[in-house]
Amino acid sequence: MKVLLIEDDQAYASVLSRRLSKYKLTVEHSENNSDALLKVRSFKPDAILLDMHLAGESGLTLISPIKHVLPFCRIILLTGYASIATAVKAIKLGADDYLAKPIDTDTLLKTLDVSDQNIATEFTHVPKHLSAEQAEWEHIQQVLRANDGNISAAARHLSMHRRTLQRKLKKRPSFISKN
């Protein structure tokens, strides 16, 4: 699998590239919007890890042009400034997934749909086209996992009141079985 990493933080990109290369993924790196579009055309990746903020530019502006050139390429938006509003906007623009930094290797490989015997944990497959409700629910679940289930910490991370988060968690979305 070929992965294009569009990230302006050189140190983070280097670490991520090394981690993915261990799983026999071919990784190329780009630091800005214009270079990224050139690499999309020449490298033709299967998946793109796209940083939300690229040295003063928005990574969101790349989603439509990338989908135009490679309509079946998976685009996974990475951000250190996660919010439900940007998650919904990214999904509406055509991103396939939205992950908050820092991200662990297992979650990243699962999101890329990389099947490897070294990955023993199971996960629920997230559909390629998420509704706004699904994107919000997935984002909340990811933030909760990142905060070890601590609702107060997750609420702070999401910039919402703890009770609001609790209400959202009680309203189990219709796409999730209630078993």
Side-chain angles (χ1 to χ4, degrees):
M1 175 184 249
K2 296 192 304 185
V3 177
L4 176 59
L5 174 59
I6 305 171
E7 169 67 59
D8 60 342
D9 182 342
Q10 188 65 34
Y12 185 73
S14 177
V15 169
L16 210 51
S17 294
R18 279 195 313 270
R19 285 173 31 193
L20 293 173
S21 295
K22 288 181 183 178
Y23 292 90
K24 305 204 180 0
L25 298 175
T26 304
V27 181
E28 291 222 1
H29 173 238
S30 178
E31 293 183 23
N32 58 53
N33 287 8
S34 57
D35 184 45
L37 290 173
L38 291 173
K39 285 223 174 142
V40 164
R41 292 180 191 280
S42 62
F43 183 54
K44 296 191 185 336
D46 302 300
I48 294 176
L49 300 175
L50 175 61
D51 187 20
M52 174 85 98
H53 298 287
L54 295 166
E57 300 174 292
S58 173
L60 291 175
T61 61
L62 288 174
I63 296 173
S64 293
I66 290 170
K67 283 294 185 179
H68 180 73
V69 174
L70 299 172
F72 300 108
C73 180
R74 285 187 51 79
I75 298 176
I76 300 158
L77 200 68
L78 303 175
T79 183
Y81 307 97
S83 75
I84 292 169
T86 55
V88 170
K89 185 174 182 181
I91 299 300
K92 284 182 178 179
L93 287 170
D96 296 292
D97 222 318
Y98 182 92
L99 301 172
K101 293 179 190 176
I103 183 163
D104 63 276
T105 304
D106 285 347
T107 302
L108 187 55
L109 292 171
K110 289 171 191 172
T111 304
L112 287 168
D113 289 333
V114 174
S115 59
D116 190 291
Q117 293 176 349
N118 296 332
I119 304 172
T121 56
E122 292 191 19
F123 65 100
T124 305
H125 181 69
V126 178
K128 280 193 168 215
H129 300 287
L130 298 174
S131 68
E133 179 186 45
Q134 289 169 320
E136 178 183 42
W137 180 262
E138 291 299 324
H139 180 63
I140 287 171
Q141 294 304 311
Q142 182 186 3
V143 171
L144 271 171
R145 281 191 300 274
N147 287 285
D148 298 321
N150 184 323
I151 291 178
S152 295
R156 281 190 300 276
H157 187 98
L158 292 166
S159 300
M160 68 172 65
H161 194 278
R162 180 184 49 81
R163 287 184 184 165
T164 303
L165 178 57
Q166 287 173 322
R167 277 193 301 278
K168 286 181 180 286
L169 291 169
K170 283 182 183 177
K171 290 183 191 175
R172 186 178 294 259
S174 59
F175 63 89
I176 297 177
S177 66
K178 298 185 182 199
N179 297 350

